[in-house]
Amino acid sequence: MTTIVALLEKNALITAFVVVALILGFSNWLAARLFRGQIHGSAIAITLGLILAYWGGLTAGGSKGLADVSLFSGLGVLGGAMFRDFAIVATAFGAEMDALKRAGWVGALSVVLGVVLSFVIGAVVAIAFGFTDAVSISTIGAGAATYIVGPVTGTALGADSAVIALSVAAGLVKAILVMVATPLVAKRIGLNNPQSALIYGGLMGTTSGVAAGLAATDPKLVPYGAMTATFYTGVGCLLAPSVLYLSVIPLQGLL
Amino acid sequence: MVIYGVGILAACMLAGVILGDLLGQLIGVKANVGGVGIAMLLLIWAVTVSGFNKLLEPPTAAGINFWSAMYIPIVIAMAAKQNVVAAVSSGWLAIVAGVAAVAISFAMIPMLSRLAGKSEDLS
């Protein structure tokens, strides 16, 4: 038994292939049997992945969910940013340039709007919870954009490390919620064509959230949503510690 | 050959990531600005516009299609390595901020879609 476990750990990435295949197979079976095709198999698989990540986090105590359990460490490689981005780029094979061009300006607009909107919401929540200094308010606002914009902004502004941790947590909540909620609300928000997918990617901005949300909704929309989402973090890191922070400073006196 | 497809894909990604990083340095940001997005545009350009078309014979295309098909499995692995414990146990501020940001952003999508639709009618 220990030899088998040792071998599985040694071939971590290969083990991860089997694990994901089993999760997806089980999810597709559930989708067909239990949900009668009402819910996408991949939506169930992503939710299952998140539940396993919670279990893994509790068991191993690390920050990488199930990947911190040594038997499943290959998931960290397979699900890491490198393979994720590689697969996202591959989905562009078959995307229509025309659809991108037609919605180009609204895609760009949605990125800027998405960053500002999330920042403002995060800042308002921070104020509601009693923060009164511009640095903390801006860091938490930036975290509501993505869990990368938060710490980048917090570090640039010299925020307290507890506040930076909060901003990462806000971004994580956002990413996970986008993964789970997108297939549930897709119909109501009209997320069924390349244009709305571009807007969705720009407004949500969390690459992992958008990647999983669209995978669970309609994989054909992935390249459009991912396209705008990949610009979001960069724009957020540009705006949050500069223009947006500066606009919070005058508010500080009122609090 | 399959490896040609994988090679084109990989070259596009590397070029995109490098350009995204340069773009970040140019505007003074400590982050990659749209590297993956640029890589996607490069791939679309490579397979449609330029003379690479004949590279798209079935075995070559298979090298790209395989990774495109691996997208969902990779996303599932990604979900399984999220720090869900931190998100769930982070306290109300983080949860309220995250939920509010998602809810309001979702609500904006139909509005922006309508805006985009209208301008298209005009032109």
Side-chain angles (χ1 to χ4, degrees):
Chain A
M1 190 65 199
T2 40
T3 359
I4 294 178
V5 172
L7 278 172
L8 292 181
E9 284 174 9
K10 202 175 154 203
N11 297 290
L13 183 58
I14 311 300
T15 308
F17 287 142
V18 177
V19 171
V20 172
L22 289 174
I23 293 175
L24 201 46
F26 177 63
S27 302
N28 281 332
W29 178 81
L30 272 184
R33 285 296 163 87
L34 207 59
F35 298 102
R36 312 218 168 266
Q38 298 270 351
I39 303 178
H40 238 276
S42 36
I44 298 170
I46 288 161
T47 312
L48 219 54
L50 290 169
I51 294 169
L52 289 170
Y54 181 69
W55 175 80
L58 286 184
T59 316
S63 63
K64 286 187 297 193
L66 192 60
D68 279 326
V69 179
S70 60
L71 183 59
F72 302 114
S73 62
L75 289 171
V77 181
L78 185 62
M82 182 173 69
F83 276 131
R84 182 199 65 192
D85 291 347
F86 194 52
I88 287 176
V89 176
T91 64
F93 189 55
E96 284 171 56
M97 194 58 132
D98 284 347
L100 285 173
K101 268 190 204 148
R102 247 181 293 138
W105 70 269
V106 77
L109 177 71
S110 69
V111 172
V112 176
L113 198 68
V115 169
V116 175
L117 195 65
S118 290
F119 182 92
V120 170
I121 295 164
V124 167
V125 172
I127 292 168
F129 274 79
F131 282 96
T132 50
D133 63 299
V135 171
S136 300
I137 293 169
S138 301
T139 303
I140 294 167
T146 72
Y147 57 74
I148 297 172
V149 183
V152 167
T153 304
T155 310
L157 300 178
D160 190 71
S161 68
V163 173
I164 294 180
L166 268 180
S167 78
V168 174
L172 274 175
V173 170
K174 183 182 181 185
I176 290 168
L177 191 62
V178 170
M179 290 182 198
V180 178
T182 301
L184 303 176
V185 299
K187 217 177 254 170
R188 212 168 306 161
I189 58 175
L191 184 58
N192 56 11
N193 59 72
Q195 187 184 45
S196 58
L198 275 164
I199 294 169
Y200 161 84
L203 283 176
M204 296 300 156
T206 145
T207 310
S208 40
V210 166
L214 287 176
T217 307
D218 181 357
K220 276 200 289 294
L221 299 177
V222 168
Y224 307 103
M227 177 73 73
T228 41
T230 61
F231 282 92
Y232 186 99
T233 289
V235 172
C237 292
L238 175 68
L239 296 181
S242 57
V243 188
L244 294 173
Y245 166 65
L246 291 177
S247 59
V248 173
I249 291 177
L251 286 174
Q252 204 174 212
L254 304 173
L255 296 169
Chain B
M1 275 169 72
V2 169
I3 188 63
Y4 292 163
V6 181
I8 292 171
L9 178 58
C12 286
M13 168 150 164
L14 292 176
V17 172
I18 291 168
L19 286 172
D21 210 73
L22 285 176
L23 192 58
Q25 285 180 20
L26 208 67
I27 55 178
V29 176
K30 275 193 224 122
N32 194 291
V33 180
V36 174
I38 297 168
M40 293 165 89
L41 291 174
L42 282 174
L43 182 69
I44 297 173
W45 170 79
V47 299
T48 51
V49 187
S50 72
F52 282 136
N53 290 13
K54 59 164 134 0
L55 282 173
L56 291 179
E57 285 151 8
T60 304
I64 304 175
N65 280 327
F66 172 79
W67 286 104
S68 179
M70 280 301 284
Y71 174 75
I72 286 176
I74 285 170
V75 162
I76 292 164
M78 178 194 78
K81 63 155 276 197
Q82 295 295 313
N83 194 354
V84 181
V85 173
V88 174
S89 57
S90 57
W92 284 106
L93 190 157
I95 293 173
V96 172
V99 171
V102 173
I104 295 173
S105 301
F106 271 145
M108 289 293 292
I109 294 172
M111 291 166 68
L112 270 181
S113 292
R114 233 169 292 143
L115 184 74
K118 248 182 216 153
S119 74
E120 218 165 83
D121 294 342
L122 290 175
S123 63

